[in-house]
Amino acid sequence: MVIYSASSYVLLGLANLIIMSACMDYCDTIESCHGPADTMSDRQHYIHAFNFNKSVEKQLHDLDHFQLSCKKLLEAFPLDQVDGIFVRSVKNCIFSESDPTPLKGPLRLAAVSKEVIEGMLGLDVAVSQSEDFLQYFSGGKLFPGSSPLTHRYGGHQFGYWAGQLGDGRAHLLGEYTSRKGKRWELQLKGSGKTPYSRSGDGRAVVRSSVREFLCSEAMHFLGVPTSRAASLIVSEEAVWRDQFYNGKVKKERGAVVLRLATSWFRIGSLEVLAKAEELDLLRKLLDFVIQEHFPSIDSNDPDKYLIFYSRVVNETAHLIAQWMSIGFAHGVCNTDNFSLLSITIDYGPFGFMEAYNPNFVPNTSDEEGRYSIGAQANVGLFNLEKLLEALTPVLTIEQRQGAGLVLKRYPHIYQMRFHKLFKAKLDLLGEEEEDEYLIAFLLKLMEETGADFTMTFRQLSEASMQQLHNMSNLQVMWALQNLASHKMYPEWVSMYLHRLKRQGGDSVEDRQHRMKRINPRYVLRNWMAESAIRKAEGNDFSEVELLQQILAQPYLTQDAAEEAGYAAQPPWWAQGLNVSCSS
């Protein structure tokens, strides 16, 4: 099955068209703490410290009473009947019981998401400065109600069935229900060995944990469905890694990310059950997922599995189109990394494309380029085919035929979503016949000039029509300058400006405002993450915090980001950066 359209044709290079902040502002202003003269009496100091300590004591009390529950999962599914964390083939269960292995101290808080801690978990971010927080959020202590579980799943990796995989270094602590009734599953990553660790040590290192923390939060603020990250805690525990699989093993440090999702079930969760012919358990897991996460599907509907499949196909197409619209390449699109809820999970060797290149591959371990950015839509199709294979044993003949028709609609759903998103990026209002060609034309120019993906669209948002028409006025817009070097640029920009003029009805400022709300100025480029990682490995987390703050408002021009060069041309050393599956 092939996904056709002019826009995706150009997108794939005319060749293969398948596609802390931890800042705790206890005072509203400096004056409110220190007074107009920037002084404070001893009595004021005492009162301030007393009130602060009293507040922290209350927050610590709240932390001790922070309640999780595994009851729903424990009642729904049989557990692994074998105890212990030794590696083994696990059968007839969804989860194994397994406690986290505490990191060896001293522990440091490298980053914390105030929005997650306060907005989602209902705690005061000030509690993150306590030793209890470090213990609870790294696995050294267990929250009340927690009964840690590790998930059994399988997966197709790089196109081949890999058998049993599972949570090799992650522990599900339990489910948290907010005051508003919203439920989140809390999971530690890097928290020690499990029955699914295979040859691994169950740990994650600082560099990969910084990337996961920053990117999951950045994706949220870009408007992409994603898991979230509450905190990043680093240790002095030695962890040995061969980062590029070249025999050069080096000592790194262990770290743990506490991450959240509405569910961690993935395509591989169903695959492993179908492969093992555990069909009763397969139905049980499907029924649970539908009841808990697809409430609009009637649990008594005989076609519920078909309807569920249709929803996953639709939402997966939408998710990958969103990735493409921001230049995001996941890097490891295996079926065990694809969520059944169509959210972005498992951030590894991802990358945001800089110079536009449909063959961009962020993962140096992907030597064949299977998961290049331009191949992601096709990989989504492959993964959905494997999902259908897993569902086939519990579908009737008629339902299997219906599911096949659903899958055939995937290319159309993806293309429609892709087209809509890129129209919005160019502010093409309404629908005109030439819109698809206009998008495809631009992407072709970007490919042939190597124009920066993020900043080309951002600078199109910021430029006036006169600037776009008169190339000599583009000196400060480095990405558009690059694009304008193409001999066909005048033809494209003439078409584009005429299209905008035909819309009428609003001002240039209105167009710029709309486009700047869709086209980010800042994304987590690999060189930015690497700069923060190098500092973090020396216990300087200032750039992690800076990036967290900047990426929480990616559409807003920020002085600190401009000073750091986050919207400038990437530095020369960025070209040699590599990331791999090693983490």
Side-chain angles (χ1 to χ4, degrees):
M1 189 182 297
V2 179
I3 302 176
Y4 290 99
S5 85
S7 58
S8 59
Y9 186 68
V10 173
L11 185 68
L12 295 180
L14 304 177
N16 181 9
L17 179 54
I18 287 286
I19 337 195
M20 152 186 318
S21 165
C23 291
M24 298 180 298
D25 300 322
Y26 300 115
C27 309
D28 295 332
T29 65
I30 292 176
E31 287 77 14
S32 67
C33 273
H34 300 294
D38 196 31
T39 61
M40 185 183 288
S41 70
D42 291 341
R43 176 176 172 79
Q44 287 174 315
H45 271 296
Y46 175 80
I47 293 172
H48 182 75
F50 176 80
N51 289 335
F52 176 76
N53 290 333
K54 187 175 180 180
S55 174
V56 170
E57 285 178 12
K58 179 182 181 300
Q59 290 150 12
L60 290 175
H61 176 78
D62 291 343
L63 190 58
D64 285 331
H65 288 77
F66 183 78
Q67 190 75 27
L68 298 182
S69 175
C70 295
K71 181 179 179 181
K72 193 175 295 181
L73 295 172
L74 293 173
E75 291 179 348
F77 305 113
L79 285 175
D80 182 7
Q81 294 301 299
V82 180
D83 292 329
I85 61 172
F86 64 91
V87 175
R88 58 187 180 272
S89 177
V90 179
K91 301 291 184 183
N92 300 308
C93 69
I94 305 296
F95 295 102
S96 299
E97 292 181 294
S98 178
D99 285 343
T101 303
L103 284 169
K104 296 176 182 177
L107 304 181
R108 295 173 184 263
L109 180 66
V112 63
S113 170
K114 182 176 181 179
E115 180 174 289
V116 172
I117 296 295
E118 296 191 343
M120 296 167 65
L121 299 181
L123 296 168
D124 191 312
V125 75
V127 78
S128 65
Q129 302 306 301
S130 70
E131 179 64 25
D132 274 355
F133 182 93
L134 294 178
Q135 295 299 324
Y136 279 122
F137 281 69
S138 67
K141 293 175 68 173
L142 295 180
F143 290 107
S146 176
S147 180
L149 302 172
T150 52
H151 178 36
R152 169 195 175 209
Y153 56 82
H156 279 80
Q157 297 192 329
F158 291 89
Y160 299 95
W161 175 245
Q164 176 182 293
L165 299 168
D167 288 334
R169 54 178 175 169
H171 291 80
L172 177 62
L173 297 179
E175 183 182 72
Y176 172 74
T177 304
S178 73
R179 295 184 182 92
K180 297 180 180 179
K182 182 69 175 177
R183 301 194 304 270
W184 300 100
E185 291 183 357
L186 274 62
Q187 186 188 73
L188 297 174
K189 183 174 180 179
S191 45
K193 287 187 176 183
T194 78
Y196 309 99
S197 294
R198 292 173 286 167
S199 60
D201 57 15
R203 291 304 189 199
V205 296
V206 171
R207 58 181 163 81
S208 62
S209 301
V210 166
R211 287 170 56 83
E212 168 129 13
F213 178 89
L214 287 175
C215 197
S216 54
E217 288 302 280
M219 291 285 274
H220 167 72
F221 290 108
L222 287 166
V224 179
T226 179
S227 59
R228 300 294 301 275
S231 60
L232 166 59
I233 294 170
V234 304
S235 73
E236 296 300 323
E237 181 172 331
V239 178
W240 299 89
R241 290 289 183 268
D242 182 356
Q243 184 175 355
F244 297 110
Y245 306 106
N246 57 7
K248 297 181 179 179
V249 179
K250 69 174 184 177
K251 185 172 77 170
E252 301 186 52
R253 290 189 297 152
V256 168
V257 174
L258 179 69
R259 54 188 195 171
L260 296 78
T262 47
S263 171
W264 293 101
F265 289 129
R266 60 230 25 232
I267 292 176
S269 305
L270 301 175
E271 283 186 291
V272 74
L273 301 177
K275 291 284 186 181
E277 299 184 347
E278 298 171 16
L279 302 188
D280 288 343
L281 199 49
L282 175 62
R283 291 188 184 92
K284 188 171 290 190
L285 179 54
L286 279 166
D287 290 344
F288 180 88
V289 170
I290 290 170
Q291 181 178 341
E292 293 296 317
H293 304 292
F294 295 83
S296 63
I297 300 177
D298 185 351
S299 59
N300 295 314
D301 191 325
D303 289 327
K304 60 184 175 181
Y305 298 153
L306 176 59
I307 298 169
F308 162 76
Y309 183 66
S310 179
R311 297 278 178 85
V312 177
V313 168
N314 186 74
E315 293 306 315
T316 298
H318 283 198
L319 177 66
I320 296 175
Q322 283 185 277
W323 288 356
M324 301 299 283
S325 75
I326 57 172
F328 175 78
H330 184 280
V332 193
C333 296
N334 299 326
T335 58
D336 54 292
N337 295 328
F338 258 50
S339 164
L340 289 175
L341 274 59
S342 302
I343 62 174
T344 315
I345 59 172
D346 294 348
Y347 291 91
F350 65 84
F352 284 88
M353 177 171 58
E354 294 185 355
Y356 181 78
N357 175 12
N359 297 315
F360 167 63
V361 179
N363 180 8
T364 58
S365 305
D366 184 7
E367 296 178 353
E368 296 181 0
R370 176 180 175 83
Y371 297 142
S372 67
I373 191 168
Q376 289 185 129
N378 261 1
V379 171
L381 177 62
F382 175 88
N383 290 349
L384 291 168
E385 289 172 345
K386 297 307 172 187
L387 174 58
L388 179 52
E389 288 180 13
L391 294 177
T392 295
V394 297
L395 298 177
T396 65
I397 294 175
E398 292 78 11
Q399 288 169 343
R400 293 172 192 175
Q401 293 171 344
L405 295 175
V406 166
L407 187 60
K408 286 183 179 179
R409 294 208 318 267
Y410 169 83
H412 175 71
I413 297 168
Y414 170 78
Q415 278 304 329
M416 291 293 289
R417 183 62 172 162
F418 178 95
H419 181 66
K420 182 177 180 180
L421 288 169
F422 275 79
K423 276 187 59 185
K425 288 175 76 67
L426 291 173
D427 196 47
L428 305 181
L429 306 180
E431 192 70 48
E432 292 195 10
E433 189 174 339
E434 70 173 16
D435 288 348
E436 191 171 349
Y437 177 72
L438 190 63
I439 295 168
F441 194 171
L442 172 61
L443 294 176
K444 181 61 176 173
L445 299 187
M446 291 173 65
E447 182 183 353
E448 294 188 351
T449 58
D452 187 88
F453 181 85
T454 299
M455 290 308 294
T456 294
F457 282 102
R458 179 64 183 201
Q459 290 174 0
L460 284 171
S461 310
E462 297 172 341
S464 66
M465 291 187 175
Q466 183 179 5
Q467 284 177 307
L468 291 174
H469 184 73
N470 185 354
M471 291 181 292
S472 63
N473 292 333
L474 295 177
Q475 291 90 341
V476 296
M477 297 190 174
W478 58 272
L480 286 186
Q481 264 195 316
N482 194 1
L483 183 71
S485 68
H486 199 288
K487 64 181 180 180
M488 299 297 289
Y489 173 79
E491 180 180 340
W492 177 81
V493 81
S494 177
M495 288 179 60
Y496 180 50
L497 292 178
H498 278 94
R499 172 66 171 89
L500 294 178
K501 287 178 181 177
R502 288 197 298 274
Q503 293 176 177
D506 61 2
S507 66
V508 172
E509 290 76 17
D510 289 335
R511 172 187 67 83
Q512 291 174 327
H513 178 68
R514 285 192 299 268
M515 291 178 70
K516 284 190 284 188
R517 292 175 60 186
I518 292 172
N519 295 303
R521 188 166 176 84
Y522 315 109
V523 294
L524 184 61
R525 298 169 183 263
N526 270 342
W527 73 266
M528 294 157 58
E530 180 64 20
S531 178
I533 288 166
R534 291 176 182 179
K535 293 176 182 176
E537 288 178 333
N539 287 330
D540 176 358
F541 306 115
S542 59
E543 192 159 13
V544 173
E545 182 178 355
L546 175 62
L547 281 170
Q548 185 185 354
Q549 292 173 350
I550 299 302
L551 296 172
Q553 301 183 87
Y555 301 98
L556 179 67
T557 300
Q558 302 170 61
D559 291 342
E562 299 303 305
E563 291 173 9
Y566 293 159
Q569 295 188 63
W572 63 269
W573 56 267
Q575 296 181 4
L577 285 179
N578 294 307
V579 292
S580 74
C581 289
S582 168
S583 58

